Amino acid sequence: MSKLPKKDLLGIKNLSATEILTLLEMAKAEKPKIKNPQLRDDSLKNVSLATLFYENSTRTKLSFLLAGDYLGAITNDLNISTSSVAKGETLIDTGLTLDSMGINIIVIRHSMAGSAQLLAENVSAAVVNGGDGSNEHPTQALLDLFTMWEHKNSFANLKVAILGDIANSRVARSNIFGLTKLGANVTLAGPPTLVSQNMASLGVTVTNNITEAIADADFIMGLRVQLERQKAATFPSLAEYAHFWGLTKEHLQHAKPDAIIMHPGPVNRGVELSTELIDGDRSVIYPQVENGVAIRMAVLKYLALANIGNIGAKKDYVIKFL
Amino acid sequence: MITIKNGRILDPANNIDEILDLTIENGVITQIGKNLPEGLRTGEKSQAINAENMWVVPGLIDMHVHLRDPGYKHKETIKTGTQAAAKGGFTTICAMANTNPVTDNEIVVEYITSKARKEGVVHVLPIGSVTKGMAGQELSAIGEMAAAGICAISEDGKFVENPALLKTAMTYAKMFNLPILSHCEEPRITGSGQIAAGNHAENLGLKGIIPESEEMAVARDIILAKAAKSRLHICHVSTQESLYHIRNAKAKGIAVTAEVTPHHFTLCVEDIPPYDANFKMSPPLRTAADIAALKAALQDGTIDVIATDHAPHHADDKNCEFELAQNGIIGLETAISLSITELIEPKILTPLEWVAKLTVNPAKILGLADKGSLTIGTNADVTIIDPNVEYTIDKNNFASLSKNTPFVGRKTKGKALYTIVAGKIILNAGELIC
């Protein structure tokens, strides 16, 4: 196993503002390759990537695999339901197995906080956190930041409102870490059963009033309400949730005139956002998906560069494409 | 014959704190006094121990130990667990009932006691469970186990959720004069919580455990003990408000006692490195304010006992996802040094007050008339402690089969040098000779 210091992407809390901005610059350079096949290259041609997803995903997994493909990497998805994990293999053993097969970058999604760190501490491959429990989802936050940056070109004094199930949201947590590092003001809002006042300790404003939350907001981010939360009795019904917390066009009069609506997907139409807003001209939900591929290309390249010597990429080769 | 010379005798049961000699003959304490001659009698091998600058105390009692046998011999055996006890200065340990099978009948009690006679090096007193299989439905064979020698009943690790059932158990146990040792935690409040709720939990994205999950259980069990007029001992108290309830109950004359673990008065939640499962325990590490309250409660007597909650786990049970990791840490071999470093050096407790919490107090709670003192004529369970030796805790020095502790690498002061069990030297100048 390599003894060189290894660079992983475990969370936004581990990144500096400079590193975040570097990743956004890199994503900007990669973005044209998504829709213009002629621009795609093989800068990661010696890098092998595996996605290890213990939870469902549409966007994150596919966009990591495509990001790798667009840069010439060797990509594999480990199908958990048919793998040894279903036979009870531990996370560490699965990681060491991937290591032994020469995988250079492992993207993991797992239902438990800290699992990406656990894997990273035990394998020589670079680890990317694709979401660990209620802890972090760093590439989602990076793509959200990238989307905001494309619109505003700066984070200073931006007001971002995040609405919904904050307590259980790794997307919210990663965005909070990123936005506060970059100088934006963050307001969290949702029913008190889903937004803990303790979160104010992360340097944000917490409210249980939707109007207050979106007052003068530049960006309003809705979060997916998970149906299992209703079973856990955190709110009485989806209908009641939608009534008090569903964002509609009427709410937008309180935000800035050019306020933008974001959502990490998948959306429950008519619950956290009205269909009119989802499909309206202020929504950037699909640009967010596109930016997700760009940011993941940037992350893979960044890790390939940072781990030169540990993994197969040749420095000159990757730099040529930077 | 053993003559212990010039040690500082600390015997809270007899209120002695003085430099004296002590002799042991045929397994019994025979004399305490100044300038006792060595090896007076013939026909018995005699040994003198120079205890200058050391503390000579009644053999320590740990009323909260998980020995793991039967069921989990890969974590600890009765042999290694009792060796760890001897190394930590304990001469009597109480074995918690969450074995596999659960200690809920006389057969398991008999298995533990007979195995302890065979391979154990200190006294082992089994604790019986409150309910069969710790399933919270029917009473265990409490009377049958009492006859087989249990010292208490406890569902430790679990909370008896049904209050009527617990009250019945309390009432029934009075027939055998057994105390109930209660793990106070309302699991429906704890939920999927992993560490104490607050900033650190938010920062790590781990579900928080609010202190009320312990406090409402403490309050409930005190109410039930009052109703049953029985003796209740609260295990591993960890929060300020729990202490408030215990203090009030004591003031009202309710027969409640309480213990604290060394880790709960030493570490707070902010000390947990990200996802390091060696810091995961139940109850969880709390706040600095809770630590201050626990220390004050040790001073004013609200907390009667220091117990380790020694909970050995295999490395595989800890080197995994934090949420999947088992609760608990080993404690037998670090109790003395953490106590001296955290309580005695900062003058929270005097040495005599501290010794009481590991000897006479647990002996009283458990009804052990022959243990917990240096009274002449009693069984010679004696521990000699060097309170001045400074060292760094090293996991390679543990006698326990498991190494799960957050204290590796910590600088501490004080250790047991001699552990004498019924007149037999088990730990000799810091080395196990068994």
Side-chain angles (χ1 to χ4, degrees), chain A residues 210-211 225 235-248 250-251 270-273:
Chain A
I210 190 168
T211 312
V225 175
F235 54 87
S237 67
L238 277 184
E240 181 162 328
Y241 182 89
H243 178 74
F244 289 100
W245 288 98
L247 194 72
T248 61
E250 288 66 48
H251 287 116
V271 181
E272 54 267 11
L273 299 177

Short mmCIF file of all heavy atoms in Angstrom, two decimals, chain A residues 210-211 225 235-248 250-251 270-273:
data_model
loop_
_atom_site.label_atom_id
_atom_site.label_comp_id
_atom_site.label_asym_id
_atom_site.label_seq_id
_atom_site.Cartn_x
_atom_site.Cartn_y
_atom_site.Cartn_z
N ILE A 210 -41.18 30.52 6.52
CA ILE A 210 -40.74 30.45 5.12
C ILE A 210 -40.57 31.85 4.52
O ILE A 210 -39.62 32.11 3.78
CB ILE A 210 -41.71 29.57 4.28
CG1 ILE A 210 -41.13 29.30 2.89
CG2 ILE A 210 -43.10 30.16 4.21
CD1 ILE A 210 -41.85 28.23 2.11
N THR A 211 -41.44 32.76 4.87
CA THR A 211 -41.37 34.11 4.31
C THR A 211 -40.09 34.81 4.77
O THR A 211 -39.39 35.46 3.98
CB THR A 211 -42.60 34.93 4.75
OG1 THR A 211 -43.76 34.14 4.53
CG2 THR A 211 -42.71 36.20 3.96
N VAL A 225 -38.15 16.09 0.21
CA VAL A 225 -38.75 15.55 1.43
C VAL A 225 -38.81 14.04 1.25
O VAL A 225 -39.37 13.54 0.29
CB VAL A 225 -40.17 16.10 1.64
CG1 VAL A 225 -40.80 15.42 2.84
CG2 VAL A 225 -40.11 17.58 1.86
N PHE A 235 -43.78 15.01 10.35
CA PHE A 235 -44.89 15.89 9.94
C PHE A 235 -46.08 14.98 9.62
O PHE A 235 -45.91 13.79 9.36
CB PHE A 235 -44.51 16.78 8.75
CG PHE A 235 -43.97 16.04 7.56
CD1 PHE A 235 -44.83 15.52 6.60
CD2 PHE A 235 -42.61 15.85 7.40
CE1 PHE A 235 -44.34 14.84 5.50
CE2 PHE A 235 -42.11 15.17 6.30
CZ PHE A 235 -42.98 14.65 5.34
N PRO A 236 -47.30 15.53 9.67
CA PRO A 236 -48.48 14.66 9.57
C PRO A 236 -48.71 14.04 8.20
O PRO A 236 -49.11 12.90 8.09
CB PRO A 236 -49.64 15.58 9.96
CG PRO A 236 -49.01 16.75 10.63
CD PRO A 236 -47.65 16.90 10.02
N SER A 237 -48.49 14.82 7.14
CA SER A 237 -48.76 14.28 5.80
C SER A 237 -48.03 15.12 4.78
O SER A 237 -47.66 16.27 5.04
CB SER A 237 -50.26 14.33 5.50
OG SER A 237 -50.68 15.69 5.40
N LEU A 238 -47.84 14.55 3.60
CA LEU A 238 -47.20 15.32 2.53
C LEU A 238 -48.05 16.52 2.16
O LEU A 238 -47.53 17.59 1.84
CB LEU A 238 -46.98 14.43 1.30
CG LEU A 238 -45.73 13.54 1.29
CD1 LEU A 238 -45.64 12.81 -0.04
CD2 LEU A 238 -44.46 14.36 1.52
N ALA A 239 -49.38 16.34 2.22
CA ALA A 239 -50.27 17.45 1.85
C ALA A 239 -50.08 18.62 2.81
O ALA A 239 -50.00 19.78 2.39
CB ALA A 239 -51.72 16.97 1.88
N GLU A 240 -49.99 18.30 4.11
CA GLU A 240 -49.79 19.36 5.09
C GLU A 240 -48.42 20.00 4.90
O GLU A 240 -48.26 21.22 4.99
CB GLU A 240 -49.95 18.84 6.53
CG GLU A 240 -49.78 19.93 7.56
CD GLU A 240 -50.34 19.58 8.92
OE1 GLU A 240 -51.34 18.83 9.01
OE2 GLU A 240 -49.77 20.07 9.92
N TYR A 241 -47.41 19.15 4.61
CA TYR A 241 -46.08 19.69 4.37
C TYR A 241 -46.12 20.67 3.20
O TYR A 241 -45.59 21.78 3.26
CB TYR A 241 -45.08 18.56 4.09
CG TYR A 241 -43.67 19.08 3.90
CD1 TYR A 241 -42.82 19.22 4.98
CD2 TYR A 241 -43.22 19.49 2.63
CE1 TYR A 241 -41.55 19.74 4.82
CE2 TYR A 241 -41.95 20.02 2.47
CZ TYR A 241 -41.12 20.14 3.56
OH TYR A 241 -39.87 20.66 3.41
N ALA A 242 -46.76 20.23 2.11
CA ALA A 242 -46.82 21.07 0.91
C ALA A 242 -47.55 22.38 1.20
O ALA A 242 -47.16 23.44 0.72
CB ALA A 242 -47.52 20.31 -0.22
N HIS A 243 -48.57 22.30 2.04
CA HIS A 243 -49.35 23.50 2.35
C HIS A 243 -48.50 24.56 3.06
O HIS A 243 -48.54 25.73 2.73
CB HIS A 243 -50.55 23.13 3.22
CG HIS A 243 -51.39 24.31 3.62
ND1 HIS A 243 -52.22 24.95 2.72
CD2 HIS A 243 -51.49 24.98 4.79
CE1 HIS A 243 -52.80 25.97 3.33
NE2 HIS A 243 -52.38 26.01 4.59
N PHE A 244 -47.69 24.10 4.03
CA PHE A 244 -46.90 25.07 4.80
C PHE A 244 -45.51 25.33 4.25
O PHE A 244 -44.94 26.38 4.48
CB PHE A 244 -46.81 24.62 6.27
CG PHE A 244 -48.10 24.74 7.00
CD1 PHE A 244 -48.91 23.64 7.21
CD2 PHE A 244 -48.53 25.98 7.46
CE1 PHE A 244 -50.13 23.77 7.87
CE2 PHE A 244 -49.74 26.11 8.12
CZ PHE A 244 -50.55 25.01 8.32
N TRP A 245 -44.96 24.35 3.54
CA TRP A 245 -43.56 24.47 3.13
C TRP A 245 -43.32 24.38 1.63
O TRP A 245 -42.19 24.52 1.19
CB TRP A 245 -42.70 23.44 3.89
CG TRP A 245 -42.58 23.88 5.31
CD1 TRP A 245 -43.31 23.45 6.37
CD2 TRP A 245 -41.73 24.93 5.79
NE1 TRP A 245 -42.98 24.16 7.49
CE2 TRP A 245 -42.00 25.07 7.17
CE3 TRP A 245 -40.77 25.76 5.20
CZ2 TRP A 245 -41.35 26.00 7.97
CZ3 TRP A 245 -40.12 26.67 6.00
CH2 TRP A 245 -40.41 26.79 7.36
N GLY A 246 -44.38 24.10 0.87
CA GLY A 246 -44.21 24.04 -0.58
C GLY A 246 -44.01 25.45 -1.13
O GLY A 246 -44.79 26.36 -0.83
N LEU A 247 -42.96 25.62 -1.90
CA LEU A 247 -42.66 26.94 -2.45
C LEU A 247 -43.51 27.18 -3.70
O LEU A 247 -43.54 26.32 -4.60
CB LEU A 247 -41.17 27.03 -2.79
CG LEU A 247 -40.62 28.43 -3.05
CD1 LEU A 247 -40.55 29.24 -1.77
CD2 LEU A 247 -39.25 28.35 -3.70
N THR A 248 -44.19 28.32 -3.74
CA THR A 248 -45.02 28.64 -4.90
C THR A 248 -44.62 30.01 -5.43
O THR A 248 -43.84 30.74 -4.80
CB THR A 248 -46.52 28.70 -4.51
OG1 THR A 248 -46.66 29.73 -3.53
CG2 THR A 248 -46.99 27.37 -3.95
N GLU A 250 -46.25 32.64 -5.47
CA GLU A 250 -46.65 33.72 -4.56
C GLU A 250 -45.55 34.07 -3.55
O GLU A 250 -45.38 35.23 -3.18
CB GLU A 250 -47.94 33.35 -3.80
CG GLU A 250 -49.20 33.35 -4.65
CD GLU A 250 -49.21 32.28 -5.73
OE1 GLU A 250 -48.90 31.10 -5.40
OE2 GLU A 250 -49.47 32.61 -6.90
N HIS A 251 -44.83 33.06 -3.14
CA HIS A 251 -43.76 33.32 -2.17
C HIS A 251 -42.67 34.22 -2.74
O HIS A 251 -42.00 34.94 -2.02
CB HIS A 251 -43.08 32.00 -1.75
CG HIS A 251 -43.93 31.15 -0.85
ND1 HIS A 251 -44.38 29.90 -1.22
CD2 HIS A 251 -44.39 31.36 0.40
CE1 HIS A 251 -45.08 29.39 -0.23
NE2 HIS A 251 -45.11 30.25 0.76
N GLY A 270 -45.01 19.49 -6.69
CA GLY A 270 -46.16 19.92 -5.91
C GLY A 270 -45.98 19.73 -4.42
O GLY A 270 -46.87 20.03 -3.64
N VAL A 271 -44.83 19.21 -4.00
CA VAL A 271 -44.59 19.11 -2.56
C VAL A 271 -43.60 20.21 -2.16
O VAL A 271 -44.02 21.27 -1.71
CB VAL A 271 -44.08 17.72 -2.14
CG1 VAL A 271 -43.87 17.66 -0.62
CG2 VAL A 271 -45.09 16.65 -2.57
N GLU A 272 -42.32 20.01 -2.41
CA GLU A 272 -41.40 21.09 -2.00
C GLU A 272 -41.40 22.27 -2.97
O GLU A 272 -41.15 23.40 -2.56
CB GLU A 272 -39.99 20.55 -1.71
CG GLU A 272 -39.31 19.75 -2.77
CD GLU A 272 -39.49 18.23 -2.69
OE1 GLU A 272 -40.33 17.76 -1.90
OE2 GLU A 272 -38.80 17.53 -3.43
N LEU A 273 -41.68 22.02 -4.24
CA LEU A 273 -41.79 23.12 -5.20
C LEU A 273 -43.04 22.89 -6.05
O LEU A 273 -43.37 21.74 -6.38
CB LEU A 273 -40.58 23.13 -6.16
CG LEU A 273 -39.18 23.33 -5.59
CD1 LEU A 273 -38.16 23.22 -6.72
CD2 LEU A 273 -39.05 24.67 -4.89
#
